[in-house]
Amino acid sequence: MTRGDHTTDLLRRCVVVGGAGAVGGLFAEHLLRSGAEVLVVDPGAGEALPGGPAEKTGSGGPAERTGSGEARFLRGDITDIGPDLREEIGRADLVLLAVPEQVALAAVKQVAAAMRPGALLADTLSVKGPIADEILAHAGDVEAAGLNPMFAPSLGFAGRPVAAVVIHDGPRTRALLRLVESWGGRAVRLGAHEHDRLAAATQALTHAAVLSFGLALARLGVGVAELAAVAPPPHATMLALLARIASGTPEVYWDVQSANPQAAAAREALAEGVRTLAGLLDGRAAGEAEFAAALGGLRDLLGPDLGFYRDTCAEMFGALPSYEHPLAPYEPSPTTSTSPPVTTER
């Protein structure tokens, strides 16, 4: 984006609250690269962004300016706005709350009061209903939009969806969505309730399925090395998903499950799915036919996208690396079985 782009004029001064975190840092980095002036507000502010090194500020003191194309930093508590932070917010075209839900909810009223009319208040929360209600109650004089990058920040925007819940539309909101798309993201507009319903299915349900898979493996008492040595691609993929979640920040996955009011229904649907599968395999004479009918129903669920996702899965499986144990290859215990090998389709 060039300096002559009208988008730059609309979003010239940006305050990213929580910009020292992964999601806030992602937005701060891209806003800087797009030519905006960025102030990072964070209790741990001072960590360098890709724009260059930064000096830490004193707690509550004025923000320090760094070199050209770099962020400024201000240590501060967005739920207890001091005079220096209030002044910065009052000058901003965009205030982005990349903070936990309870912090954002507690901050909306005083942040909106400090902003000038027509500026843009945005958030990156994974649940939109409560923050939308708070904004409707206390932020009537500013534009407002919620963004939810539907990917880990380390993956970047390119080709990935960003859910966008627009509460108070306006030129700065549209400019921010254009910026997201200029970074390679796909802005998908949703209502707050629709966002939370879809997030429950795409995030809460998916994470619950992977976590339940891991908890089930632990109950079975099998070692990962012996599993991985013989794992077909679907199982290896599930192990990879489990490893990714287990290596992540617990608070992120806790929030996905606990903060979304529709997540409980998603987990209950998952449990009901397991019970339904068990019912199809309980030895009834019609069980196999009912199982086949259930698979047919799942094909119908996927509809015209069946081929796309089937082919995507084939490509993923083809790209899976072969398993090599970091210490030594797993060697199964000797067996006296003379049964011929069984070949199955997976």
Side-chain angles (χ1 to χ4, degrees):
M1 185 176 64
T2 66
R3 284 288 182 180
D5 193 321
H6 187 47
T7 300
T8 305
D9 297 330
L10 290 170
L11 299 175
R12 184 173 297 280
R13 298 186 182 94
C14 302
V15 174
V16 181
V17 185
V23 176
L26 176 71
F27 277 92
E29 172 191 347
H30 281 77
L31 287 167
L32 281 169
R33 291 180 178 178
S34 297
E37 299 173 12
V38 175
L39 172 69
V40 169
V41 178
D42 199 288
E47 289 80 356
L49 290 171
E55 298 179 12
K56 296 185 178 181
T57 69
S59 178
E64 294 287 342
R65 184 175 296 278
T66 62
S68 175
E70 299 173 10
R72 295 181 299 137
F73 294 90
L74 177 65
R75 281 205 185 104
D77 180 356
I78 197 61
T79 65
D80 185 17
I81 299 176
D84 295 312
L85 180 52
R86 186 177 303 276
E87 180 180 354
E88 295 284 356
I89 290 174
R91 297 173 60 246
D93 300 310
L94 164 67
V95 177
L96 179 67
L97 301 177
V99 294
E101 181 183 39
Q102 292 308 312
V103 175
L105 293 176
V108 164
K109 184 176 181 179
Q110 58 180 311
V111 170
M115 295 174 68
R116 57 189 175 85
L120 171 59
L121 175 61
D123 71 84
T124 62
L125 302 188
S126 59
V127 179
K128 298 304 186 188
I131 192 72
D133 291 342
E134 196 71 12
I135 287 171
L136 289 171
H138 300 296
D141 293 335
V142 299
E143 295 183 31
L147 302 181
N148 184 8
M150 305 298 282
F151 53 88
S154 60
L155 296 176
F157 284 99
R160 305 190 190 282
V162 178
V165 176
V166 176
I167 303 166
H168 297 316
D169 206 349
R172 288 188 170 84
T173 299
R174 293 189 289 274
L176 180 58
L177 297 185
R178 286 197 302 272
L179 271 183
V180 167
E181 293 183 343
S182 76
W183 301 334
R186 291 188 292 106
V188 182
R189 285 208 184 203
L190 302 167
H193 178 80
E194 184 183 14
H195 170 278
D196 292 352
R197 179 177 65 86
L198 293 177
T202 59
Q203 293 183 314
L205 174 61
T206 303
H207 296 169
V210 175
L211 290 167
S212 297
F213 166 78
L215 294 171
L217 282 183
R219 289 182 64 88
L220 289 175
V222 289
V224 171
E226 57 183 318
L227 287 171
V230 296
H235 186 84
T237 301
M238 289 294 289
L239 287 177
L241 290 168
L242 179 62
R244 184 172 180 84
I245 290 178
S247 300
T249 304
E251 290 80 5
V252 171
Y253 296 101
W254 171 263
D255 285 346
V256 166
Q257 297 296 331
S258 65
N260 191 332
Q262 301 190 55
R267 292 191 298 273
E268 177 53 33
L270 175 63
E272 181 60 29
V274 174
R275 289 192 290 268
T276 299
L277 176 60
L280 295 174
L281 303 171
D282 66 359
R284 289 176 296 167
E288 185 174 354
E290 292 177 357
F291 181 83
L295 286 184
L298 295 178
R299 288 193 294 272
D300 293 340
L301 174 67
L302 289 163
D305 294 321
L306 173 67
F308 170 79
Y309 285 109
R310 182 190 60 228
D311 295 345
T312 298
C313 186
E315 291 181 14
M316 290 170 54
F317 286 174
L320 283 174
S322 59
Y323 174 75
E324 294 183 9
H325 193 277
L327 297 179
Y330 172 72
E331 296 183 1
S333 57
T335 177
T336 56
S337 172
T338 57
S339 301
V342 177
T343 301
T344 58
E345 181 181 352
R346 295 181 173 87

